[in-house]
Amino acid sequence: MFEYKYTIDNKTKYLTMIHLLFFIGIAVGLFVLFNGGYILAWFISIVIAIIALMALSIPRRVIVGEDGIDICCISDYTFIPYSEIASVRIVDNSEMKYVIPIFGAAGFFGYYGSYLNLRGMDFVKIYASKWGGFIEITDIYEDKYYISCDDERELVDRVLELSSLKPADDE
């Protein structure tokens, strides 16, 4: 079993701070505009709920085990058995400029959720702590998972070693 822990880079930390300052700015604006009241209370309640939901989806680690790949978040758990993996490859950083968030976080404690790849017009599930070092795992159902890792070559080699996959030609 091999474990790869997510480490948040400085860009993600800055984006998280910008998100929090944006929420605080809107709350202060609502307080000044409406002297507090129910609109500010509703806004704060919604923001706290959104932050709590997003915080529960923060990716923590990837475990390459004997039976498959475990992607562990705070409250979410994704298991991809080796028998269902069709391919695994390293994603070039230039490909990621065509990927946009649909439902998920874009820099708020990481990058996770459902994203749209405009180049292939397909949906991908991203579990990343930084925007770079991505590995694409495609399963037999044509679902795509992008995970970030500090040493993507080592992770791909371990998955290929533990599964019956052959290395992709485009690597």
Coordinates of all heavy atoms in Angstrom, one line a residue, residues 69-127:
I69 N -7.5 2.0 -6.2 CA -7.1 3.3 -5.8 C -8.1 3.9 -4.9 O -9.3 4.0 -5.3 CB -6.8 4.2 -7.0 CG1 -5.7 3.6 -7.9 CG2 -6.5 5.6 -6.6 CD1 -5.6 4.3 -9.2
D70 N -7.8 4.4 -3.7 CA -8.7 5.0 -2.8 C -8.4 6.5 -2.8 O -7.2 6.9 -2.6 CB -8.5 4.6 -1.4 CG -8.7 3.1 -1.2 OD1 -9.8 2.6 -1.6 OD2 -7.9 2.4 -0.7
I71 N -9.4 7.3 -3.1 CA -9.3 8.8 -3.0 C -10.1 9.2 -1.8 O -11.3 9.1 -1.8 CB -9.8 9.5 -4.3 CG1 -9.1 8.9 -5.5 CG2 -9.6 11.0 -4.2 CD1 -9.7 9.4 -6.9
C72 N -9.4 9.7 -0.8 CA -10.0 10.0 0.5 C -10.1 11.5 0.7 O -9.1 12.2 0.6 CB -9.1 9.4 1.6 SG -8.9 7.6 1.5
C73 N -11.3 11.9 0.9 CA -11.6 13.3 1.2 C -12.1 13.3 2.7 O -12.1 12.3 3.3 CB -12.7 13.9 0.3 SG -12.2 13.9 -1.4
I74 N -12.4 14.5 3.2 CA -12.8 14.5 4.6 C -14.1 13.7 4.8 O -14.2 12.9 5.7 CB -13.0 16.0 5.1 CG1 -11.6 16.6 5.1 CG2 -13.7 16.0 6.4 CD1 -11.6 18.1 5.5
S75 N -15.1 13.9 3.9 CA -16.4 13.1 4.1 C -16.7 12.3 2.8 O -17.7 11.6 2.8 CB -17.5 14.1 4.4 OG -17.8 14.8 3.2
D76 N -15.9 12.4 1.8 CA -16.2 11.7 0.6 C -15.1 10.6 0.4 O -13.9 10.8 0.8 CB -16.1 12.7 -0.6 CG -16.5 12.0 -1.9 OD1 -17.2 11.0 -1.9 OD2 -16.2 12.6 -3.0
Y77 N -15.5 9.5 -0.2 CA -14.5 8.4 -0.4 C -14.8 7.8 -1.8 O -16.0 7.5 -2.1 CB -14.7 7.4 0.7 CG -13.9 6.1 0.5 CD1 -12.6 6.1 0.8 CD2 -14.5 5.0 0.0 CE1 -11.8 4.9 0.6 CE2 -13.8 3.8 -0.2 CZ -12.4 3.8 0.1 OH -11.7 2.7 -0.1
T78 N -13.8 7.8 -2.6 CA -13.9 7.2 -4.0 C -13.0 6.0 -4.1 O -11.8 6.2 -3.8 CB -13.6 8.3 -5.0 OG1 -14.5 9.4 -4.9 CG2 -13.8 7.7 -6.4
F79 N -13.5 4.9 -4.5 CA -12.6 3.7 -4.7 C -12.7 3.3 -6.2 O -13.8 3.1 -6.7 CB -13.1 2.6 -3.8 CG -12.3 1.3 -4.0 CD1 -11.0 1.2 -3.6 CD2 -12.9 0.2 -4.6 CE1 -10.3 0.1 -3.8 CE2 -12.2 -1.0 -4.8 CZ -10.9 -1.0 -4.4
I80 N -11.6 3.1 -6.8 CA -11.5 2.7 -8.2 C -10.8 1.4 -8.2 O -9.5 1.4 -8.1 CB -10.8 3.8 -9.1 CG1 -11.5 5.1 -8.9 CG2 -10.9 3.3 -10.6 CD1 -10.7 6.3 -9.5
P81 N -11.5 0.3 -8.4 CA -10.8 -1.0 -8.5 C -9.9 -1.1 -9.7 O -10.3 -0.6 -10.8 CB -11.9 -2.1 -8.4 CG -13.1 -1.3 -8.7 CD -12.9 0.1 -8.5
Y82 N -8.8 -1.8 -9.7 CA -8.0 -2.0 -10.8 C -8.7 -2.7 -12.0 O -8.4 -2.4 -13.1 CB -6.7 -2.8 -10.5 CG -5.8 -2.1 -9.5 CD1 -5.4 -2.7 -8.4 CD2 -5.4 -0.8 -9.8 CE1 -4.5 -2.1 -7.5 CE2 -4.5 -0.2 -8.9 CZ -4.1 -0.8 -7.8 OH -3.3 -0.2 -6.9
S83 N -9.7 -3.6 -11.7 CA -10.4 -4.3 -12.7 C -11.3 -3.3 -13.5 O -11.7 -3.7 -14.6 CB -11.3 -5.4 -12.1 OG -12.2 -4.8 -11.2
E84 N -11.5 -2.1 -13.0 CA -12.4 -1.2 -13.7 C -11.6 0.0 -14.4 O -12.1 0.9 -14.9 CB -13.4 -0.6 -12.8 CG -14.5 -1.6 -12.4 CD -15.5 -1.0 -11.5 OE1 -15.6 0.2 -11.3 OE2 -16.4 -1.8 -11.0
I85 N -10.3 0.0 -14.2 CA -9.4 1.0 -14.8 C -9.1 0.7 -16.2 O -8.5 -0.4 -16.5 CB -8.2 1.3 -14.0 CG1 -8.5 1.8 -12.6 CG2 -7.2 2.2 -14.7 CD1 -7.3 2.0 -11.7
A86 N -9.4 1.5 -17.2 CA -9.1 1.3 -18.6 C -7.8 1.9 -18.9 O -7.0 1.3 -19.7 CB -10.2 1.9 -19.5
S87 N -7.4 3.1 -18.4 CA -6.1 3.7 -18.7 C -5.8 4.6 -17.6 O -6.6 5.1 -16.8 CB -6.2 4.4 -20.0 OG -7.0 5.5 -19.9
V88 N -4.5 4.9 -17.5 CA -3.9 5.9 -16.5 C -2.8 6.6 -17.2 O -2.0 5.9 -17.9 CB -3.5 5.2 -15.2 CG1 -2.4 4.2 -15.4 CG2 -3.0 6.2 -14.2
R89 N -2.7 7.9 -17.1 CA -1.7 8.7 -17.8 C -1.4 10.0 -17.1 O -2.3 10.5 -16.3 CB -2.1 8.9 -19.3 CG -3.2 9.9 -19.4 CD -3.5 10.2 -20.9 NE -4.5 11.2 -21.0 CZ -4.3 12.5 -21.2 NH1 -3.1 13.0 -21.2 NH2 -5.3 13.4 -21.3
I90 N -0.3 10.5 -17.3 CA 0.1 11.8 -16.8 C -0.5 12.9 -17.8 O -0.4 12.8 -19.0 CB 1.6 12.0 -16.7 CG1 2.2 11.0 -15.7 CG2 2.0 13.4 -16.3 CD1 3.7 11.0 -15.6
V91 N -1.2 13.9 -17.2 CA -1.8 15.0 -18.0 C -0.8 16.1 -18.1 O -0.3 16.6 -17.0 CB -3.1 15.4 -17.3 CG1 -3.7 16.6 -18.1 CG2 -4.1 14.3 -17.2
D92 N -0.6 16.6 -19.3 CA 0.3 17.7 -19.5 C -0.4 19.0 -19.0 O -1.6 19.1 -19.1 CB 0.6 17.9 -21.0 CG 1.7 18.9 -21.2 OD1 2.8 18.8 -20.6 OD2 1.5 19.8 -22.1
N93 N 0.3 19.9 -18.3 CA -0.3 21.1 -17.8 C -0.9 21.9 -18.8 O -1.9 22.7 -18.5 CB 0.8 21.9 -17.0 CG 1.1 21.3 -15.7 OD1 0.4 20.5 -15.1 ND2 2.3 21.6 -15.1
S94 N -0.5 21.9 -20.1 CA -1.1 22.7 -21.1 C -2.5 22.2 -21.4 O -3.4 23.0 -21.9 CB -0.3 22.7 -22.4 OG -0.2 21.3 -22.9
E95 N -2.8 20.9 -21.2 CA -4.2 20.4 -21.4 C -5.2 21.0 -20.4 O -6.4 21.1 -20.6 CB -4.2 18.9 -21.3 CG -3.5 18.2 -22.4 CD -3.6 16.7 -22.2 OE1 -4.7 16.2 -21.9 OE2 -2.5 16.0 -22.2
M96 N -4.7 21.4 -19.2 CA -5.6 21.8 -18.1 C -6.1 23.2 -18.3 O -7.1 23.6 -17.6 CB -4.8 21.7 -16.8 CG -4.4 20.3 -16.4 SD -5.8 19.2 -16.4 CE -6.8 19.8 -15.1
K97 N -5.6 24.0 -19.3 CA -6.2 25.3 -19.5 C -7.6 25.2 -20.2 O -8.3 26.2 -20.2 CB -5.3 26.2 -20.3 CG -5.0 25.7 -21.7 CD -4.0 26.6 -22.4 CE -3.6 26.0 -23.8 NZ -2.6 26.8 -24.4
Y98 N -8.0 24.1 -20.6 CA -9.3 23.9 -21.2 C -10.3 23.3 -20.3 O -11.4 22.9 -20.7 CB -9.2 23.0 -22.5 CG -8.3 23.6 -23.5 CD1 -7.0 23.1 -23.8 CD2 -8.7 24.7 -24.3 CE1 -6.2 23.6 -24.7 CE2 -7.9 25.2 -25.3 CZ -6.7 24.7 -25.5 OH -5.9 25.2 -26.4
V99 N -9.9 23.2 -19.0 CA -10.8 22.5 -18.0 C -11.4 23.6 -17.1 O -10.6 24.4 -16.5 CB -10.0 21.5 -17.2 CG1 -10.9 20.9 -16.1 CG2 -9.4 20.4 -18.1
I100 N -12.7 23.7 -17.0 CA -13.4 24.7 -16.2 C -14.3 24.0 -15.2 O -14.9 23.0 -15.4 CB -14.2 25.7 -17.1 CG1 -15.3 25.0 -17.9 CG2 -13.2 26.5 -18.0 CD1 -16.2 25.9 -18.6
P101 N -14.5 24.7 -14.0 CA -15.4 24.1 -13.0 C -16.8 24.2 -13.4 O -17.3 25.2 -13.9 CB -15.0 24.9 -11.7 CG -14.5 26.2 -12.2 CD -13.8 25.9 -13.5
I102 N -17.6 23.1 -13.1 CA -19.0 23.1 -13.3 C -19.7 23.2 -11.9 O -20.5 24.0 -11.6 CB -19.5 21.9 -14.1 CG1 -18.9 21.9 -15.5 CG2 -21.0 21.8 -14.1 CD1 -19.3 23.1 -16.3
F103 N -19.3 22.2 -11.1 CA -19.8 22.2 -9.7 C -18.7 21.7 -8.8 O -18.4 20.5 -8.8 CB -21.0 21.2 -9.6 CG -21.7 21.2 -8.3 CD1 -22.5 22.3 -7.9 CD2 -21.5 20.2 -7.4 CE1 -23.1 22.3 -6.6 CE2 -22.1 20.1 -6.2 CZ -22.9 21.2 -5.8
G104 N -18.1 22.6 -8.1 CA -17.0 22.3 -7.2 C -16.2 23.5 -6.9 O -16.6 24.6 -7.1
A105 N -15.0 23.2 -6.3 CA -14.2 24.3 -5.8 C -13.1 24.6 -6.8 O -12.5 23.7 -7.3 CB -13.6 23.9 -4.4
A106 N -12.8 25.8 -7.0 CA -11.7 26.3 -7.9 C -10.7 27.1 -7.0 O -10.7 28.3 -7.2 CB -12.2 27.0 -9.0
G107 N -10.0 26.5 -6.2 CA -9.0 27.2 -5.4 C -9.4 27.3 -3.9 O -8.5 27.7 -3.1
F108 N -10.6 27.0 -3.5 CA -11.0 27.1 -2.1 C -10.6 25.8 -1.4 O -11.2 24.8 -1.5 CB -12.5 27.3 -2.0 CG -13.0 27.6 -0.6 CD1 -12.7 28.9 -0.1 CD2 -13.7 26.7 0.1 CE1 -13.1 29.1 1.2 CE2 -14.1 27.0 1.4 CZ -13.8 28.2 1.9
F109 N -9.4 25.9 -0.8 CA -8.8 24.7 -0.1 C -8.4 23.6 -1.1 O -8.3 22.4 -0.7 CB -9.7 24.1 1.0 CG -9.8 25.0 2.2 CD1 -11.0 25.6 2.5 CD2 -8.7 25.2 3.0 CE1 -11.1 26.5 3.6 CE2 -8.8 26.1 4.1 CZ -10.0 26.7 4.4
G110 N -8.4 23.9 -2.4 CA -8.0 22.9 -3.4 C -8.9 23.0 -4.6 O -9.7 24.0 -4.7
Y111 N -8.8 22.0 -5.4 CA -9.6 22.0 -6.6 C -10.3 20.6 -6.6 O -9.6 19.6 -6.7 CB -8.8 22.1 -7.9 CG -8.0 23.4 -7.9 CD1 -6.7 23.4 -7.3 CD2 -8.5 24.5 -8.5 CE1 -6.0 24.6 -7.3 CE2 -7.7 25.7 -8.5 CZ -6.5 25.7 -7.9 OH -5.8 26.9 -7.9
Y112 N -11.6 20.6 -6.5 CA -12.3 19.3 -6.5 C -13.7 19.5 -6.9 O -14.3 20.6 -6.9 CB -12.3 18.7 -5.0 CG -12.6 19.7 -3.9 CD1 -13.9 20.0 -3.5 CD2 -11.5 20.5 -3.4 CE1 -14.1 20.9 -2.5 CE2 -11.8 21.4 -2.4 CZ -13.1 21.6 -2.0 OH -13.3 22.6 -1.0
G113 N -14.3 18.5 -7.4 CA -15.7 18.5 -7.9 C -15.7 18.1 -9.4 O -14.8 17.5 -9.9
S114 N -16.9 18.5 -10.0 CA -17.1 18.2 -11.4 C -16.6 19.3 -12.3 O -17.0 20.5 -12.1 CB -18.5 17.9 -11.7 OG -19.0 16.7 -11.0
Y115 N -15.8 19.0 -13.3 CA -15.3 20.0 -14.2 C -15.6 19.6 -15.6 O -15.8 18.4 -15.9 CB -13.7 20.1 -14.0 CG -13.3 20.9 -12.8 CD1 -13.6 20.5 -11.5 CD2 -12.5 22.1 -13.0 CE1 -13.1 21.2 -10.4 CE2 -12.1 22.8 -11.9 CZ -12.4 22.4 -10.6 OH -12.0 23.1 -9.5
L116 N -15.6 20.5 -16.5 CA -15.8 20.3 -17.9 C -14.5 20.5 -18.7 O -13.9 21.5 -18.6 CB -16.9 21.2 -18.5 CG -17.2 21.0 -20.0 CD1 -17.7 19.7 -20.3 CD2 -18.2 22.1 -20.4
N117 N -14.1 19.5 -19.5 CA -12.9 19.6 -20.3 C -13.4 20.0 -21.7 O -14.1 19.3 -22.4 CB -12.2 18.2 -20.5 CG -10.9 18.3 -21.2 OD1 -10.7 19.3 -21.9 ND2 -10.1 17.3 -21.2
L118 N -13.2 21.3 -22.0 CA -13.7 21.9 -23.3 C -13.1 21.3 -24.5 O -13.7 21.3 -25.6 CB -13.5 23.4 -23.3 CG -14.2 24.2 -22.2 CD1 -13.8 25.6 -22.2 CD2 -15.7 24.0 -22.4
R119 N -11.9 20.8 -24.4 CA -11.2 20.2 -25.5 C -11.9 18.9 -26.0 O -12.2 18.7 -27.1 CB -9.7 19.9 -25.2 CG -9.0 19.2 -26.4 CD -7.5 19.1 -26.1 NE -6.9 20.3 -26.5 CZ -5.7 20.6 -26.4 NH1 -4.9 19.8 -25.8 NH2 -5.2 21.8 -26.8
G120 N -12.2 18.0 -25.0 CA -12.9 16.8 -25.4 C -14.4 16.8 -25.1 O -15.1 15.8 -25.4
M121 N -14.9 17.9 -24.6 CA -16.3 18.1 -24.2 C -16.8 16.9 -23.4 O -17.9 16.4 -23.6 CB -17.2 18.3 -25.4 CG -17.0 19.5 -26.2 SD -17.0 21.0 -25.2 CE -18.8 21.1 -24.8
D122 N -16.0 16.6 -22.3 CA -16.4 15.5 -21.4 C -16.2 16.0 -20.0 O -15.4 17.0 -19.7 CB -15.6 14.2 -21.7 CG -14.1 14.4 -21.7 OD1 -13.7 15.6 -21.7 OD2 -13.4 13.4 -21.8
F123 N -16.9 15.4 -19.1 CA -16.9 15.8 -17.7 C -15.8 15.0 -17.0 O -15.6 13.8 -17.3 CB -18.2 15.5 -17.0 CG -19.3 16.5 -17.4 CD1 -20.2 16.1 -18.4 CD2 -19.3 17.8 -16.9 CE1 -21.2 17.0 -18.8 CE2 -20.3 18.6 -17.3 CZ -21.2 18.3 -18.3
V124 N -15.1 15.6 -16.1 CA -14.0 14.9 -15.3 C -14.3 15.3 -13.8 O -14.8 16.3 -13.5 CB -12.6 15.4 -15.7 CG1 -12.3 15.0 -17.1 CG2 -12.4 16.9 -15.6
K125 N -13.9 14.4 -13.0 CA -13.9 14.6 -11.5 C -12.5 14.9 -11.1 O -11.6 14.1 -11.3 CB -14.5 13.4 -10.8 CG -15.9 13.1 -11.1 CD -16.4 11.8 -10.5 CE -17.8 11.6 -11.0 NZ -18.3 10.2 -10.7
I126 N -12.3 16.0 -10.5 CA -11.0 16.4 -10.1 C -10.9 16.4 -8.5 O -11.8 16.8 -7.8 CB -10.7 17.9 -10.6 CG1 -10.6 17.8 -12.1 CG2 -9.4 18.4 -10.0 CD1 -10.2 19.1 -12.7
Y127 N -9.8 15.8 -8.1 CA -9.4 15.8 -6.7 C -8.0 16.3 -6.6 O -7.0 15.5 -6.9 CB -9.5 14.3 -6.1 CG -10.8 13.7 -6.2 CD1 -11.2 12.9 -7.3 CD2 -11.8 13.9 -5.2 CE1 -12.4 12.3 -7.4 CE2 -13.0 13.3 -5.3 CZ -13.3 12.5 -6.4 OH -14.6 11.9 -6.4

